[in-house]
Amino acid sequence: MTDKKKLYARMHAQAEGLFEGESDPIANAANLAALLFMELPAINWAGFYFLQDTELVLGPFQGQPACVRIALGKGVCGTAAKNRQPLIVDNVDEFAGHIPCDGASQSEIVIPLLKDGVLLGVLDLDSPQLARFDQFDQDGLKSLANLYLKRTRL
Ligand code: SME
C-alpha cells in the first residue's frame, strides 16, 4: 500500500472513531474538517459547504475565514456541485471563475456530497502547492465523505 493510501486508511479509521455514537451533521462535519486539516500535508483549508435552495452555504471548516455563499455553477465548489462530480483543479489561477478565499491557495479539490442521489453540499480542500491533489486523494476523500453521509443524520 502506498503511503498516501495508508494515510487515508488511517484517517478512515479515525473518522469511524469520531463519528461513533454521534449523528449530528455539524458536529461530525466539524470533526472531519479538523481531522483532514490535521492529518493531510500541504493543506491550507478544509471544510464543508451545505446546499440551501440554489446556494452552497459555508459550514464547519479549518483555515482562514471563507466566502459564505456560492451559487450552484459558480467557482470550483459550485461547478463540482452542479455537475455532481469530484473536481480537481491543479492551478486555481487557470480556472475561470475560481473564487479566491485565501490568497495562498494554488490548487483545490471538491467532492460533492450526494445521499441517495440528492445533492447535500460539498467537501472542499485547498492547498498552497500547485497540483497537490491526485486520484488517490479523490478516492480517499470520497470514501471519507461517504462515511460522513452514512453516519450522519442529514
Ligand atoms: N475556491 C472556492 C471557494 C471556497 S474556498 O476555496 C474555501 C471556489 O472557487 O469555489
Side-chain angles (χ1 to χ4, degrees):
M1 210 191 263
T2 63
D3 285 352
K4 213 173 217 185
K5 272 195 169 178
K6 274 188 204 157
L7 175 57
Y8 277 105
R10 193 175 75 227
M11 281 195 293
H12 202 277
Q14 288 170 292
E16 293 257 22
L18 290 169
F19 299 158
E20 181 78 45
E22 184 53 70
S23 63
D24 183 84
I26 300 299
N28 284 349
N31 264 338
L32 183 53
L35 179 70
L36 293 168
F37 196 73
M38 181 177 77
E39 292 289 343
L40 288 171
I43 296 293
N44 62 320
W45 203 91
F48 289 80
Y49 282 87
F50 291 111
L51 187 67
Q52 284 181 23
D53 300 320
T54 58
E55 283 181 328
L56 294 166
V57 180
L58 185 63
F61 69 94
Q62 298 272 309
Q64 289 199 3
C67 53
V68 174
R69 292 173 188 275
I70 300 173
L72 275 185
K74 299 290 178 193
V76 184
C77 291
T79 301
K82 189 179 173 193
N83 296 338
R84 296 164 163 250
Q85 291 292 335
L87 183 53
I88 293 175
V89 176
D90 287 342
N91 182 349
V92 294
D93 290 336
E94 290 173 359
F95 186 93
H98 168 252
I99 302 164
C101 290
D102 178 346
S105 298
Q106 298 219 63
S107 59
E108 182 161 0
I109 184 167
V110 179
I111 309 290
L113 302 173
L114 292 162
K115 192 168 192 171
D116 303 324
V118 178
L119 178 70
L120 299 177
V122 298
L123 175 62
D124 178 29
L125 282 85
D126 286 11
S127 170
Q129 281 178 10
L130 287 170
R132 158 67 181 78
F133 304 103
D134 61 16
Q135 189 65 42
F136 287 116
D137 293 296
Q138 183 174 308
D139 294 347
L141 292 169
K142 210 171 157 185
S143 161
L144 284 165
N146 284 340
L147 180 67
Y148 169 78
L149 290 167
K150 203 164 124 192
R151 293 295 151 81
T152 303
R153 168 178 34 85
L154 271 167

mmCIF file of all heavy atoms in Angstrom, residues 9-60:
data_model
loop_
_atom_site.group_PDB
_atom_site.id
_atom_site.type_symbol
_atom_site.label_atom_id
_atom_site.label_comp_id
_atom_site.label_asym_id
_atom_site.label_seq_id
_atom_site.Cartn_x
_atom_site.Cartn_y
_atom_site.Cartn_z
ATOM 1 N N ALA A 9 -6.338 5.338 4.815
ATOM 2 C CA ALA A 9 -6.892 4.213 5.590
ATOM 3 C C ALA A 9 -6.898 4.579 7.072
ATOM 4 O O ALA A 9 -7.872 4.307 7.792
ATOM 5 C CB ALA A 9 -6.067 2.954 5.334
ATOM 6 N N ARG A 10 -5.815 5.219 7.538
ATOM 7 C CA ARG A 10 -5.744 5.620 8.950
ATOM 8 C C ARG A 10 -6.802 6.683 9.253
ATOM 9 O O ARG A 10 -7.493 6.626 10.268
ATOM 10 C CB ARG A 10 -4.339 6.142 9.275
ATOM 11 C CG ARG A 10 -4.108 6.265 10.776
ATOM 12 C CD ARG A 10 -2.698 6.657 11.121
ATOM 13 N NE ARG A 10 -2.461 8.070 10.855
ATOM 14 C CZ ARG A 10 -1.402 8.552 10.211
ATOM 15 N NH1 ARG A 10 -0.484 7.720 9.755
ATOM 16 N NH2 ARG A 10 -1.258 9.847 10.029
ATOM 17 N N MET A 11 -6.945 7.649 8.352
ATOM 18 C CA MET A 11 -7.945 8.706 8.587
ATOM 19 C C MET A 11 -9.361 8.125 8.602
ATOM 20 O O MET A 11 -10.217 8.592 9.344
ATOM 21 C CB MET A 11 -7.833 9.798 7.516
ATOM 22 C CG MET A 11 -6.691 10.750 7.778
ATOM 23 S SD MET A 11 -6.845 12.235 6.792
ATOM 24 C CE MET A 11 -6.613 11.594 5.188
ATOM 25 N N HIS A 12 -9.591 7.106 7.772
ATOM 26 C CA HIS A 12 -10.913 6.471 7.736
ATOM 27 C C HIS A 12 -11.214 5.858 9.099
ATOM 28 O O HIS A 12 -12.309 6.037 9.645
ATOM 29 C CB HIS A 12 -10.949 5.416 6.629
ATOM 30 C CG HIS A 12 -12.330 5.080 6.166
ATOM 31 N ND1 HIS A 12 -13.131 4.182 6.819
ATOM 32 C CD2 HIS A 12 -13.063 5.542 5.123
ATOM 33 C CE1 HIS A 12 -14.291 4.092 6.197
ATOM 34 N NE2 HIS A 12 -14.283 4.919 5.173
ATOM 35 N N ALA A 13 -10.204 5.169 9.666
ATOM 36 C CA ALA A 13 -10.384 4.554 10.991
ATOM 37 C C ALA A 13 -10.600 5.641 12.046
ATOM 38 O O ALA A 13 -11.436 5.488 12.952
ATOM 39 C CB ALA A 13 -9.164 3.698 11.328
ATOM 40 N N GLN A 14 -9.846 6.725 11.961
ATOM 41 C CA GLN A 14 -10.011 7.827 12.920
ATOM 42 C C GLN A 14 -11.404 8.450 12.807
ATOM 43 O O GLN A 14 -12.044 8.770 13.810
ATOM 44 C CB GLN A 14 -8.941 8.908 12.678
ATOM 45 C CG GLN A 14 -7.553 8.500 13.111
ATOM 46 C CD GLN A 14 -6.511 9.506 12.616
ATOM 47 O OE1 GLN A 14 -6.249 9.620 11.424
ATOM 48 N NE2 GLN A 14 -5.920 10.244 13.522
ATOM 49 N N ALA A 15 -11.879 8.614 11.572
ATOM 50 C CA ALA A 15 -13.211 9.198 11.361
ATOM 51 C C ALA A 15 -14.293 8.272 11.917
ATOM 52 O O ALA A 15 -15.255 8.736 12.536
ATOM 53 C CB ALA A 15 -13.436 9.470 9.872
ATOM 54 N N GLU A 16 -14.111 6.956 11.718
ATOM 55 C CA GLU A 16 -15.065 5.987 12.299
ATOM 56 C C GLU A 16 -15.166 6.221 13.804
ATOM 57 O O GLU A 16 -16.254 6.227 14.371
ATOM 58 C CB GLU A 16 -14.584 4.542 12.059
ATOM 59 C CG GLU A 16 -14.587 4.106 10.613
ATOM 60 C CD GLU A 16 -15.771 3.207 10.276
ATOM 61 O OE1 GLU A 16 -16.766 3.262 11.011
ATOM 62 O OE2 GLU A 16 -15.681 2.497 9.256
ATOM 63 N N GLY A 17 -14.016 6.420 14.433
ATOM 64 C CA GLY A 17 -13.987 6.650 15.881
ATOM 65 C C GLY A 17 -14.672 7.956 16.253
ATOM 66 O O GLY A 17 -15.452 8.014 17.210
ATOM 67 N N LEU A 18 -14.419 9.000 15.478
ATOM 68 C CA LEU A 18 -15.007 10.311 15.783
ATOM 69 C C LEU A 18 -16.527 10.302 15.624
ATOM 70 O O LEU A 18 -17.241 10.987 16.360
ATOM 71 C CB LEU A 18 -14.409 11.388 14.862
ATOM 72 C CG LEU A 18 -12.949 11.757 15.117
ATOM 73 C CD1 LEU A 18 -12.408 12.611 13.986
ATOM 74 C CD2 LEU A 18 -12.797 12.496 16.448
ATOM 75 N N PHE A 19 -17.023 9.530 14.651
ATOM 76 C CA PHE A 19 -18.472 9.501 14.386
ATOM 77 C C PHE A 19 -19.213 8.506 15.290
ATOM 78 O O PHE A 19 -20.441 8.495 15.293
ATOM 79 C CB PHE A 19 -18.752 9.119 12.929
ATOM 80 C CG PHE A 19 -18.189 10.075 11.899
ATOM 81 C CD1 PHE A 19 -17.973 9.647 10.594
ATOM 82 C CD2 PHE A 19 -17.880 11.387 12.223
ATOM 83 C CE1 PHE A 19 -17.459 10.520 9.629
ATOM 84 C CE2 PHE A 19 -17.359 12.255 11.265
ATOM 85 C CZ PHE A 19 -17.148 11.814 9.971
ATOM 86 N N GLU A 20 -18.460 7.680 16.006
ATOM 87 C CA GLU A 20 -19.050 6.626 16.847
ATOM 88 C C GLU A 20 -20.109 7.207 17.784
ATOM 89 O O GLU A 20 -19.806 8.099 18.598
ATOM 90 C CB GLU A 20 -17.917 5.975 17.662
ATOM 91 C CG GLU A 20 -18.343 4.849 18.567
ATOM 92 C CD GLU A 20 -18.568 3.560 17.795
ATOM 93 O OE1 GLU A 20 -17.720 3.232 16.955
ATOM 94 O OE2 GLU A 20 -19.595 2.903 18.050
ATOM 95 N N GLY A 21 -21.337 6.746 17.654
ATOM 96 C CA GLY A 21 -22.403 7.182 18.561
ATOM 97 C C GLY A 21 -22.855 8.614 18.352
ATOM 98 O O GLY A 21 -23.584 9.164 19.182
ATOM 99 N N GLU A 22 -22.421 9.257 17.253
ATOM 100 C CA GLU A 22 -22.807 10.660 17.027
ATOM 101 C C GLU A 22 -23.321 10.824 15.604
ATOM 102 O O GLU A 22 -22.651 10.418 14.658
ATOM 103 C CB GLU A 22 -21.589 11.573 17.243
ATOM 104 C CG GLU A 22 -21.910 13.049 17.114
ATOM 105 C CD GLU A 22 -23.068 13.455 18.016
ATOM 106 O OE1 GLU A 22 -22.895 13.474 19.239
ATOM 107 O OE2 GLU A 22 -24.165 13.733 17.488
ATOM 108 N N SER A 23 -24.492 11.424 15.438
ATOM 109 C CA SER A 23 -25.037 11.604 14.089
ATOM 110 C C SER A 23 -25.348 13.066 13.784
ATOM 111 O O SER A 23 -25.983 13.366 12.779
ATOM 112 C CB SER A 23 -26.309 10.765 13.929
ATOM 113 O OG SER A 23 -27.300 11.232 14.828
ATOM 114 N N ASP A 24 -24.901 13.971 14.642
ATOM 115 C CA ASP A 24 -25.180 15.398 14.402
ATOM 116 C C ASP A 24 -24.365 15.893 13.205
ATOM 117 O O ASP A 24 -23.139 15.747 13.176
ATOM 118 C CB ASP A 24 -24.837 16.216 15.643
ATOM 119 C CG ASP A 24 -25.179 17.681 15.429
ATOM 120 O OD1 ASP A 24 -26.348 18.039 15.636
ATOM 121 O OD2 ASP A 24 -24.281 18.454 14.996
ATOM 122 N N PRO A 25 -25.022 16.496 12.204
ATOM 123 C CA PRO A 25 -24.307 16.879 10.977
ATOM 124 C C PRO A 25 -23.237 17.951 11.184
ATOM 125 O O PRO A 25 -22.194 17.915 10.532
ATOM 126 C CB PRO A 25 -25.407 17.410 10.055
ATOM 127 C CG PRO A 25 -26.637 17.539 10.866
ATOM 128 C CD PRO A 25 -26.468 16.733 12.110
ATOM 129 N N ILE A 26 -23.479 18.902 12.073
ATOM 130 C CA ILE A 26 -22.485 19.963 12.298
ATOM 131 C C ILE A 26 -21.297 19.415 13.079
ATOM 132 O O ILE A 26 -20.133 19.655 12.737
ATOM 133 C CB ILE A 26 -23.124 21.159 13.055
ATOM 134 C CG1 ILE A 26 -24.292 21.750 12.260
ATOM 135 C CG2 ILE A 26 -22.077 22.233 13.342
ATOM 136 C CD1 ILE A 26 -23.938 22.302 10.901
ATOM 137 N N ALA A 27 -21.595 18.663 14.138
ATOM 138 C CA ALA A 27 -20.507 18.110 14.966
ATOM 139 C C ALA A 27 -19.609 17.196 14.132
ATOM 140 O O ALA A 27 -18.373 17.299 14.185
ATOM 141 C CB ALA A 27 -21.094 17.349 16.147
ATOM 142 N N ASN A 28 -20.216 16.307 13.349
ATOM 143 C CA ASN A 28 -19.407 15.371 12.563
ATOM 144 C C ASN A 28 -18.645 16.078 11.445
ATOM 145 O O ASN A 28 -17.505 15.725 11.144
ATOM 146 C CB ASN A 28 -20.292 14.249 12.005
ATOM 147 C CG ASN A 28 -20.659 13.235 13.075
ATOM 148 O OD1 ASN A 28 -20.095 13.250 14.170
ATOM 149 N ND2 ASN A 28 -21.601 12.357 12.775
ATOM 150 N N ALA A 29 -19.252 17.086 10.834
ATOM 151 C CA ALA A 29 -18.545 17.847 9.797
ATOM 152 C C ALA A 29 -17.373 18.610 10.409
ATOM 153 O O ALA A 29 -16.281 18.677 9.831
ATOM 154 C CB ALA A 29 -19.509 18.817 9.101
ATOM 155 N N ALA A 30 -17.581 19.177 11.589
ATOM 156 C CA ALA A 30 -16.516 19.935 12.263
ATOM 157 C C ALA A 30 -15.347 19.014 12.586
ATOM 158 O O ALA A 30 -14.175 19.361 12.351
ATOM 159 C CB ALA A 30 -17.065 20.583 13.530
ATOM 160 N N ASN A 31 -15.643 17.829 13.100
ATOM 161 C CA ASN A 31 -14.556 16.904 13.438
ATOM 162 C C ASN A 31 -13.857 16.368 12.197
ATOM 163 O O ASN A 31 -12.636 16.189 12.196
ATOM 164 C CB ASN A 31 -15.089 15.746 14.295
ATOM 165 C CG ASN A 31 -14.865 16.012 15.771
ATOM 166 O OD1 ASN A 31 -13.993 16.810 16.143
ATOM 167 N ND2 ASN A 31 -15.623 15.357 16.618
ATOM 168 N N LEU A 32 -14.608 16.131 11.121
ATOM 169 C CA LEU A 32 -13.950 15.640 9.898
ATOM 170 C C LEU A 32 -13.060 16.730 9.293
ATOM 171 O O LEU A 32 -11.944 16.446 8.848
ATOM 172 C CB LEU A 32 -14.990 15.147 8.881
ATOM 173 C CG LEU A 32 -14.418 14.536 7.604
ATOM 174 C CD1 LEU A 32 -13.406 13.429 7.898
ATOM 175 C CD2 LEU A 32 -15.536 13.994 6.710
ATOM 176 N N ALA A 33 -13.531 17.968 9.293
ATOM 177 C CA ALA A 33 -12.706 19.071 8.779
ATOM 178 C C ALA A 33 -11.414 19.186 9.601
ATOM 179 O O ALA A 33 -10.321 19.351 9.047
ATOM 180 C CB ALA A 33 -13.490 20.386 8.831
ATOM 181 N N ALA A 34 -11.542 19.071 10.920
ATOM 182 C CA ALA A 34 -10.358 19.170 11.787
ATOM 183 C C ALA A 34 -9.403 18.011 11.526
ATOM 184 O O ALA A 34 -8.180 18.197 11.473
ATOM 185 C CB ALA A 34 -10.791 19.187 13.255
ATOM 186 N N LEU A 35 -9.952 16.816 11.340
ATOM 187 C CA LEU A 35 -9.108 15.638 11.076
ATOM 188 C C LEU A 35 -8.336 15.809 9.766
ATOM 189 O O LEU A 35 -7.119 15.568 9.708
ATOM 190 C CB LEU A 35 -9.992 14.381 11.014
ATOM 191 C CG LEU A 35 -9.270 13.065 10.728
ATOM 192 C CD1 LEU A 35 -8.412 12.640 11.913
ATOM 193 C CD2 LEU A 35 -10.275 11.962 10.393
ATOM 194 N N LEU A 36 -9.028 16.241 8.722
ATOM 195 C CA LEU A 36 -8.380 16.429 7.415
ATOM 196 C C LEU A 36 -7.278 17.478 7.503
ATOM 197 O O LEU A 36 -6.177 17.305 6.982
ATOM 198 C CB LEU A 36 -9.418 16.868 6.363
ATOM 199 C CG LEU A 36 -10.488 15.839 5.998
ATOM 200 C CD1 LEU A 36 -11.602 16.495 5.190
ATOM 201 C CD2 LEU A 36 -9.876 14.697 5.198
ATOM 202 N N PHE A 37 -7.576 18.572 8.182
ATOM 203 C CA PHE A 37 -6.622 19.686 8.286
ATOM 204 C C PHE A 37 -5.389 19.261 9.093
ATOM 205 O O PHE A 37 -4.269 19.665 8.789
ATOM 206 C CB PHE A 37 -7.322 20.870 8.959
ATOM 207 C CG PHE A 37 -6.608 22.172 8.794
ATOM 208 C CD1 PHE A 37 -6.601 22.833 7.577
ATOM 209 C CD2 PHE A 37 -5.957 22.764 9.860
ATOM 210 C CE1 PHE A 37 -5.952 24.046 7.418
ATOM 211 C CE2 PHE A 37 -5.306 23.976 9.710
ATOM 212 C CZ PHE A 37 -5.304 24.620 8.488
ATOM 213 N N MET A 38 -5.619 18.432 10.095
ATOM 214 C CA MET A 38 -4.540 17.984 10.976
ATOM 215 C C MET A 38 -3.659 16.942 10.291
ATOM 216 O O MET A 38 -2.439 16.966 10.414
ATOM 217 C CB MET A 38 -5.183 17.384 12.232
ATOM 218 C CG MET A 38 -4.242 16.872 13.288
ATOM 219 S SD MET A 38 -5.190 16.301 14.726
ATOM 220 C CE MET A 38 -5.796 14.726 14.130
ATOM 221 N N GLU A 39 -4.272 16.043 9.536
ATOM 222 C CA GLU A 39 -3.530 14.879 9.020
ATOM 223 C C GLU A 39 -2.929 15.080 7.627
ATOM 224 O O GLU A 39 -1.893 14.504 7.320
ATOM 225 C CB GLU A 39 -4.448 13.643 8.978
ATOM 226 C CG GLU A 39 -4.852 13.125 10.339
ATOM 227 C CD GLU A 39 -3.693 12.462 11.086
ATOM 228 O OE1 GLU A 39 -2.676 12.117 10.466
ATOM 229 O OE2 GLU A 39 -3.819 12.291 12.310
ATOM 230 N N LEU A 40 -3.597 15.836 6.773
ATOM 231 C CA LEU A 40 -3.116 15.924 5.389
ATOM 232 C C LEU A 40 -2.019 16.973 5.259
ATOM 233 O O LEU A 40 -2.199 18.115 5.704
ATOM 234 C CB LEU A 40 -4.273 16.263 4.436
ATOM 235 C CG LEU A 40 -5.268 15.135 4.186
ATOM 236 C CD1 LEU A 40 -6.481 15.656 3.406
ATOM 237 C CD2 LEU A 40 -4.611 13.991 3.409
ATOM 238 N N PRO A 41 -0.900 16.616 4.642
ATOM 239 C CA PRO A 41 0.165 17.601 4.438
ATOM 240 C C PRO A 41 -0.207 18.616 3.349
ATOM 241 O O PRO A 41 -0.984 18.294 2.440
ATOM 242 C CB PRO A 41 1.370 16.750 4.005
ATOM 243 C CG PRO A 41 0.804 15.474 3.507
ATOM 244 C CD PRO A 41 -0.531 15.270 4.161
ATOM 245 N N ALA A 42 0.354 19.827 3.459
ATOM 246 C CA ALA A 42 0.202 20.873 2.439
ATOM 247 C C ALA A 42 -1.261 21.215 2.145
ATOM 248 O O ALA A 42 -1.704 21.217 0.993
ATOM 249 C CB ALA A 42 0.929 20.466 1.152
ATOM 250 N N ILE A 43 -2.005 21.487 3.225
ATOM 251 C CA ILE A 43 -3.409 21.894 3.103
ATOM 252 C C ILE A 43 -3.565 23.234 3.837
ATOM 253 O O ILE A 43 -3.067 23.379 4.947
ATOM 254 C CB ILE A 43 -4.328 20.854 3.809
ATOM 255 C CG1 ILE A 43 -4.249 19.485 3.136
ATOM 256 C CG2 ILE A 43 -5.767 21.327 3.901
ATOM 257 C CD1 ILE A 43 -4.802 19.439 1.747
ATOM 258 N N ASN A 44 -4.221 24.196 3.234
ATOM 259 C CA ASN A 44 -4.461 25.448 3.969
ATOM 260 C C ASN A 44 -5.946 25.726 4.228
ATOM 261 O O ASN A 44 -6.297 26.714 4.877
ATOM 262 C CB ASN A 44 -3.812 26.649 3.279
ATOM 263 C CG ASN A 44 -4.359 26.901 1.895
ATOM 264 O OD1 ASN A 44 -4.614 25.954 1.147
ATOM 265 N ND2 ASN A 44 -4.546 28.154 1.539
ATOM 266 N N TRP A 45 -6.817 24.842 3.724
ATOM 267 C CA TRP A 45 -8.253 24.994 4.014
ATOM 268 C C TRP A 45 -8.914 23.638 3.816
ATOM 269 O O TRP A 45 -8.628 22.928 2.831
ATOM 270 C CB TRP A 45 -8.892 26.020 3.075
ATOM 271 C CG TRP A 45 -10.147 26.640 3.604
ATOM 272 C CD1 TRP A 45 -10.250 27.778 4.353
ATOM 273 C CD2 TRP A 45 -11.503 26.163 3.430
ATOM 274 N NE1 TRP A 45 -11.563 28.037 4.660
ATOM 275 C CE2 TRP A 45 -12.357 27.061 4.116
ATOM 276 C CE3 TRP A 45 -12.067 25.076 2.782
ATOM 277 C CZ2 TRP A 45 -13.739 26.908 4.157
ATOM 278 C CZ3 TRP A 45 -13.454 24.910 2.829
ATOM 279 C CH2 TRP A 45 -14.271 25.829 3.512
ATOM 280 N N ALA A 46 -9.788 23.268 4.725
ATOM 281 C CA ALA A 46 -10.558 22.021 4.585
ATOM 282 C C ALA A 46 -11.906 22.240 5.239
ATOM 283 O O ALA A 46 -11.968 22.645 6.408
ATOM 284 C CB ALA A 46 -9.840 20.852 5.254
ATOM 285 N N GLY A 47 -12.983 22.009 4.482
ATOM 286 C CA GLY A 47 -14.275 22.219 5.116
ATOM 287 C C GLY A 47 -15.453 21.915 4.212
ATOM 288 O O GLY A 47 -15.308 21.382 3.108
ATOM 289 N N PHE A 48 -16.614 22.295 4.722
ATOM 290 C CA PHE A 48 -17.893 21.934 4.100
ATOM 291 C C PHE A 48 -18.669 23.164 3.647
ATOM 292 O O PHE A 48 -18.594 24.236 4.272
ATOM 293 C CB PHE A 48 -18.776 21.192 5.120
ATOM 294 C CG PHE A 48 -18.282 19.809 5.441
ATOM 295 C CD1 PHE A 48 -17.239 19.619 6.342
ATOM 296 C CD2 PHE A 48 -18.841 18.698 4.830
ATOM 297 C CE1 PHE A 48 -16.778 18.340 6.627
ATOM 298 C CE2 PHE A 48 -18.387 17.419 5.104
ATOM 299 C CZ PHE A 48 -17.346 17.247 6.007
ATOM 300 N N TYR A 49 -19.397 22.988 2.563
ATOM 301 C CA TYR A 49 -20.480 23.905 2.188
ATOM 302 C C TYR A 49 -21.731 23.036 2.070
ATOM 303 O O TYR A 49 -21.675 21.936 1.501
ATOM 304 C CB TYR A 49 -20.204 24.583 0.843
ATOM 305 C CG TYR A 49 -19.216 25.725 0.923
ATOM 306 C CD1 TYR A 49 -17.851 25.510 0.823
ATOM 307 C CD2 TYR A 49 -19.659 27.036 1.101
ATOM 308 C CE1 TYR A 49 -16.941 26.560 0.901
ATOM 309 C CE2 TYR A 49 -18.753 28.098 1.170
ATOM 310 C CZ TYR A 49 -17.406 27.847 1.075
ATOM 311 O OH TYR A 49 -16.516 28.890 1.152
ATOM 312 N N PHE A 50 -22.845 23.519 2.609
ATOM 313 C CA PHE A 50 -24.107 22.771 2.523
ATOM 314 C C PHE A 50 -25.094 23.505 1.624
ATOM 315 O O PHE A 50 -25.186 24.747 1.664
ATOM 316 C CB PHE A 50 -24.702 22.572 3.914
ATOM 317 C CG PHE A 50 -23.879 21.627 4.766
ATOM 318 C CD1 PHE A 50 -23.180 22.088 5.871
ATOM 319 C CD2 PHE A 50 -23.788 20.283 4.439
ATOM 320 C CE1 PHE A 50 -22.408 21.220 6.642
ATOM 321 C CE2 PHE A 50 -23.024 19.406 5.202
ATOM 322 C CZ PHE A 50 -22.330 19.883 6.308
ATOM 323 N N LEU A 51 -25.826 22.713 0.827
ATOM 324 C CA LEU A 51 -26.775 23.287 -0.129
ATOM 325 C C LEU A 51 -28.022 23.812 0.573
ATOM 326 O O LEU A 51 -28.638 23.098 1.375
ATOM 327 C CB LEU A 51 -27.170 22.222 -1.159
ATOM 328 C CG LEU A 51 -28.038 22.719 -2.320
ATOM 329 C CD1 LEU A 51 -27.255 23.685 -3.204
ATOM 330 C CD2 LEU A 51 -28.531 21.530 -3.159
ATOM 331 N N GLN A 52 -28.351 25.064 0.293
ATOM 332 C CA GLN A 52 -29.625 25.645 0.743
ATOM 333 C C GLN A 52 -30.267 26.259 -0.498
ATOM 334 O O GLN A 52 -29.736 27.225 -1.038
ATOM 335 C CB GLN A 52 -29.390 26.745 1.797
ATOM 336 C CG GLN A 52 -29.042 26.202 3.173
ATOM 337 C CD GLN A 52 -28.853 27.316 4.196
ATOM 338 O OE1 GLN A 52 -29.364 28.421 4.025
ATOM 339 N NE2 GLN A 52 -28.118 27.027 5.239
ATOM 340 N N ASP A 53 -31.370 25.683 -0.947
ATOM 341 C CA ASP A 53 -32.013 26.098 -2.199
ATOM 342 C C ASP A 53 -31.009 26.000 -3.349
ATOM 343 O O ASP A 53 -30.597 24.927 -3.681
ATOM 344 C CB ASP A 53 -32.616 27.503 -2.067
ATOM 345 C CG ASP A 53 -33.659 27.555 -0.959
ATOM 346 O OD1 ASP A 53 -34.425 26.574 -0.845
ATOM 347 O OD2 ASP A 53 -33.681 28.529 -0.204
ATOM 348 N N THR A 54 -30.614 27.147 -3.920
ATOM 349 C CA THR A 54 -29.688 27.079 -5.065
ATOM 350 C C THR A 54 -28.293 27.578 -4.714
ATOM 351 O O THR A 54 -27.496 27.863 -5.599
ATOM 352 C CB THR A 54 -30.226 27.925 -6.235
ATOM 353 O OG1 THR A 54 -30.396 29.267 -5.760
ATOM 354 C CG2 THR A 54 -31.540 27.382 -6.752
ATOM 355 N N GLU A 55 -28.009 27.666 -3.421
ATOM 356 C CA GLU A 55 -26.702 28.184 -2.993
ATOM 357 C C GLU A 55 -26.012 27.200 -2.055
ATOM 358 O O GLU A 55 -26.667 26.520 -1.259
ATOM 359 C CB GLU A 55 -26.872 29.486 -2.198
ATOM 360 C CG GLU A 55 -27.153 30.697 -3.018
ATOM 361 C CD GLU A 55 -27.281 31.929 -2.127
ATOM 362 O OE1 GLU A 55 -27.736 31.807 -0.976
ATOM 363 O OE2 GLU A 55 -26.922 33.012 -2.601
ATOM 364 N N LEU A 56 -24.673 27.205 -2.140
ATOM 365 C CA LEU A 56 -23.876 26.490 -1.140
ATOM 366 C C LEU A 56 -23.572 27.491 -0.030
ATOM 367 O O LEU A 56 -23.140 28.615 -0.303
ATOM 368 C CB LEU A 56 -22.575 25.997 -1.763
ATOM 369 C CG LEU A 56 -22.725 24.924 -2.850
ATOM 370 C CD1 LEU A 56 -21.414 24.771 -3.623
ATOM 371 C CD2 LEU A 56 -23.157 23.595 -2.251
ATOM 372 N N VAL A 57 -23.802 27.077 1.208
ATOM 373 C CA VAL A 57 -23.575 27.968 2.353
ATOM 374 C C VAL A 57 -22.486 27.356 3.240
ATOM 375 O O VAL A 57 -22.510 26.145 3.518
ATOM 376 C CB VAL A 57 -24.877 28.194 3.150
ATOM 377 C CG1 VAL A 57 -24.629 29.122 4.328
ATOM 378 C CG2 VAL A 57 -25.952 28.772 2.235
ATOM 379 N N LEU A 58 -21.561 28.201 3.647
ATOM 380 C CA LEU A 58 -20.394 27.767 4.425
ATOM 381 C C LEU A 58 -20.796 26.963 5.662
ATOM 382 O O LEU A 58 -21.702 27.355 6.406
ATOM 383 C CB LEU A 58 -19.591 29.012 4.848
ATOM 384 C CG LEU A 58 -18.275 28.771 5.577
ATOM 385 C CD1 LEU A 58 -17.271 28.035 4.695
ATOM 386 C CD2 LEU A 58 -17.682 30.112 6.045
ATOM 387 N N GLY A 59 -20.112 25.845 5.860
ATOM 388 C CA GLY A 59 -20.303 25.006 7.046
ATOM 389 C C GLY A 59 -19.016 24.945 7.842
ATOM 390 O O GLY A 59 -18.141 25.801 7.679
ATOM 391 N N PRO A 60 -18.878 23.919 8.689
ATOM 392 C CA PRO A 60 -17.669 23.799 9.509
ATOM 393 C C PRO A 60 -16.411 23.672 8.648
ATOM 394 O O PRO A 60 -16.430 22.987 7.613
ATOM 395 C CB PRO A 60 -17.910 22.509 10.300
ATOM 396 C CG PRO A 60 -19.392 22.361 10.335
ATOM 397 C CD PRO A 60 -19.863 22.882 9.015
#
